Amino acid sequence: MTAVQSSTSRAIPGPDDLTPRSLVSVRPAVSSRRLLDDLVPPPHFDDARFSTYRANPEHPSQARVLSRLEEVAAEIVAPAPSGLRALLGRRRPAPAVYMDGGFGVGKTHLLTSLAHAVTEASGEGSAAYGTFVEYTNLVGALGFLPTVDALAGRQLVCIDEFELDDPGDTVLMSRLLRELADRGVALAATSNTLPDALGEGRFAAEDFLREIQALAERFEVLRVDGEDYRHRAVVTDAEPLPLESVRAAVEARPRAALDDFADLLAHLSTVHPSRYGALLDDVEMVALTGVRPVTRQEVALRLVVLIDRLYDRDVPVLLADVDAAAQRALFTDEMLRGGYRKKYFRALSRLGSLAQEGRRLATD
């Protein structure tokens, strides 16, 4: 397949051009090659290693999971048996682990640490890392069998934020993981339990094992307890910034983007979610004005994907002219109780963190 180079229609402002760039002006084109190349831990977790994970002594499960994943990494990179031993011995199934727990307890840090450990031991391209949505988008771009072939050469495939709320995509991912496991690829996944869910942890693990069906016996469930270190339930606990301050912060940074919230949401409907990462190429800050509650589910789900890509890339967000209702709740109560609630709570937690960082940069 011939790779099409990634491109955008963005005009980069020159030194005399004071018009801030806008995400709405970007029309990204992403090759299938880039979709594969982007299956690496995001920049936000460049420094994540087992040695930098700080297990909370109040939650012993964190230390237990850390120790187990270090063992899993060693299993994955261990040399395969050779000679007579290989002929006589039974092939040991590749490890498959699933981390279950609430928001902000360090599961992604642990998952990226596992990916980094395998890569550092076995070389670039030995581990694939992506979110559930990125893998389903990859299948949509390449087709199922080419995706299996492309990933089968990896020692490890990591799936962050495994979704249990879309039956079609979950069956697709279950089939993909089964094909990879049959080819000897190690698997690692995370998912979230709602912070206020009855029987937190137990139901998420049971749901995951049920949905992956034939693979359930291969997965080892690792429970990660703890509290959300971001502690965010709304867009941000801080007051929104004055519009003048936001404009000044954007104009001081040539790689910052300024957009009206409604315009950006409309633009996202014209861009495939697999290209949202490319939408942020060369962007170091995103400023949004006119933030209002999101009331349509399809619009909210696109916003969730964008927030994930912003968080992955550590792009701070500036918020100005925020509607009072949005300050209290960006998503409706119905959304936060519905089937996609895990995505919305994750997005709120991440956006709150990015908005706090944006405010800090703008007011320093």
Side-chain angles (χ1 to χ4, degrees), residues 118 140 147 248 308:
V118 170
T147 299
D308 284 342

Side-chain angles (χ1 to χ4, degrees), residues 64-109:
R64 289 196 297 268
V65 173
L66 172 63
S67 177
R68 177 59 186 133
L69 290 181
E70 289 176 321
E71 295 174 351
V72 168
E75 291 176 33
I76 293 172
V77 302
S82 58
L84 183 61
R85 181 183 172 193
L87 291 175
L88 297 178
R90 178 178 293 180
R91 182 180 178 185
R92 184 178 181 182
V97 294
Y98 163 73
M99 282 180 278
D100 177 46
F103 300 92
V105 297
K107 299 189 306 299
T108 300
H109 185 128

Side-chain angles (χ1 to χ4, degrees), residues 126-189:
S126 54
Y129 180 99
T131 63
F132 182 93
V133 172
E134 287 175 306
Y135 285 109
T136 56
N137 287 340
L138 182 66
V139 173
L142 298 184
F144 183 80
L145 290 179
T147 299
V148 173
D149 291 338
L151 296 176
R154 311 292 181 104
Q155 288 181 286
L156 169 69
V157 169
C158 298
I159 309 98
D160 199 17
E161 309 293 355
F162 197 100
E163 304 289 359
L164 298 171
D165 46 35
D166 187 315
D169 282 348
T170 303
V171 170
L172 171 68
M173 185 60 69
S174 177
R175 182 185 169 203
L176 176 63
L177 297 185
R178 185 171 67 251
E179 293 279 352
L180 294 175
D182 288 344
R183 298 196 190 192
V185 179
L187 305 172

Side-chain angles (χ1 to χ4, degrees), residues 3 6 12 22 40 43 48 50 86 88 107 118 121 155 186 206 215 232 239 251-252 274 278 287 296 316:
S6 173
I12 304 300
S22 167
V40 295
F50 291 135
L88 297 178
K107 299 189 306 299
V118 170
Q155 288 181 286
E206 289 177 356
L215 274 175
R232 295 286 180 267
E239 289 296 319
E251 290 171 359
S274 65
R296 292 171 53 189

Side-chain angles (χ1 to χ4, degrees), residues 52-330:
T52 63
Y53 182 75
R54 299 291 176 256
N56 187 336
E58 296 182 5
H59 300 283
S61 64
Q62 295 184 8
R64 289 196 297 268
V65 173
L66 172 63
S67 177
R68 177 59 186 133
L69 290 181
E70 289 176 321
E71 295 174 351
V72 168
E75 291 176 33
I76 293 172
V77 302
S82 58
L84 183 61
R85 181 183 172 193
L87 291 175
L88 297 178
R90 178 178 293 180
R91 182 180 178 185
R92 184 178 181 182
V97 294
Y98 163 73
M99 282 180 278
D100 177 46
F103 300 92
V105 297
K107 299 189 306 299
T108 300
H109 185 128
L110 289 166
L111 188 66
T112 52
S113 296
L114 177 61
H116 284 307
V118 170
T119 299
E120 289 166 1
S122 299
E124 295 295 327
S126 54
Y129 180 99
T131 63
F132 182 93
V133 172
E134 287 175 306
Y135 285 109
T136 56
N137 287 340
L138 182 66
V139 173
L142 298 184
F144 183 80
L145 290 179
T147 299
V148 173
D149 291 338
L151 296 176
R154 311 292 181 104
Q155 288 181 286
L156 169 69
V157 169
C158 298
I159 309 98
D160 199 17
E161 309 293 355
F162 197 100
E163 304 289 359
L164 298 171
D165 46 35
D166 187 315
D169 282 348
T170 303
V171 170
L172 171 68
M173 185 60 69
S174 177
R175 182 185 169 203
L176 176 63
L177 297 185
R178 185 171 67 251
E179 293 279 352
L180 294 175
D182 288 344
R183 298 196 190 192
V185 179
L187 305 172
T190 73
S191 187
N192 282 323
T193 303
L194 284 177
D196 60 351
L198 179 64
E200 180 181 352
R202 180 166 60 90
F203 294 121
E206 289 177 356
D207 289 346
F208 174 81
L209 295 175
R210 182 186 67 250
E211 294 296 344
I212 60 174
Q213 301 169 9
L215 274 175
E217 293 181 358
R218 302 194 195 186
F219 268 88
E220 175 185 359
V221 175
L222 305 175
R223 172 67 184 163
V224 187
D225 296 297
E227 299 176 357
D228 184 353
Y229 72 91
R230 291 182 292 261
H231 292 291
R232 295 286 180 267
V234 294
V235 172
T236 173
D237 293 333
E239 289 296 319
L241 292 161
L243 183 57
E244 297 76 13
S245 298
V246 168
R247 289 190 178 277
V250 169
E251 290 171 359
R253 294 169 174 81
R255 294 168 60 194
L258 175 65
D259 284 278
D260 174 78
F261 188 62
D263 290 344
L264 178 59
L265 294 181
H267 182 60
L268 292 180
S269 68
T270 70
V271 179
H272 192 277
S274 65
R275 301 178 180 181
Y276 286 7
L279 195 67
L280 301 171
D281 284 352
D282 302 320
V283 174
E284 67 174 12
M285 177 181 285
V286 167
L288 298 175
T289 64
V291 178
R292 301 291 185 269
V294 181
T295 58
R296 292 171 53 189
Q297 184 125 269
E298 73 277 12
V299 176
L301 290 172
R302 287 192 288 264
L303 177 60
V304 166
V305 176
L306 179 66
I307 292 171
D308 284 342
R309 301 292 81 77
L310 287 165
Y311 187 79
D312 288 345
R313 289 158 175 76
D314 281 330
V315 178
V317 176
L318 302 181
L319 299 174
D321 185 28
V322 178
D323 181 89
Q327 178 70 8
R328 293 190 299 272
L330 183 62

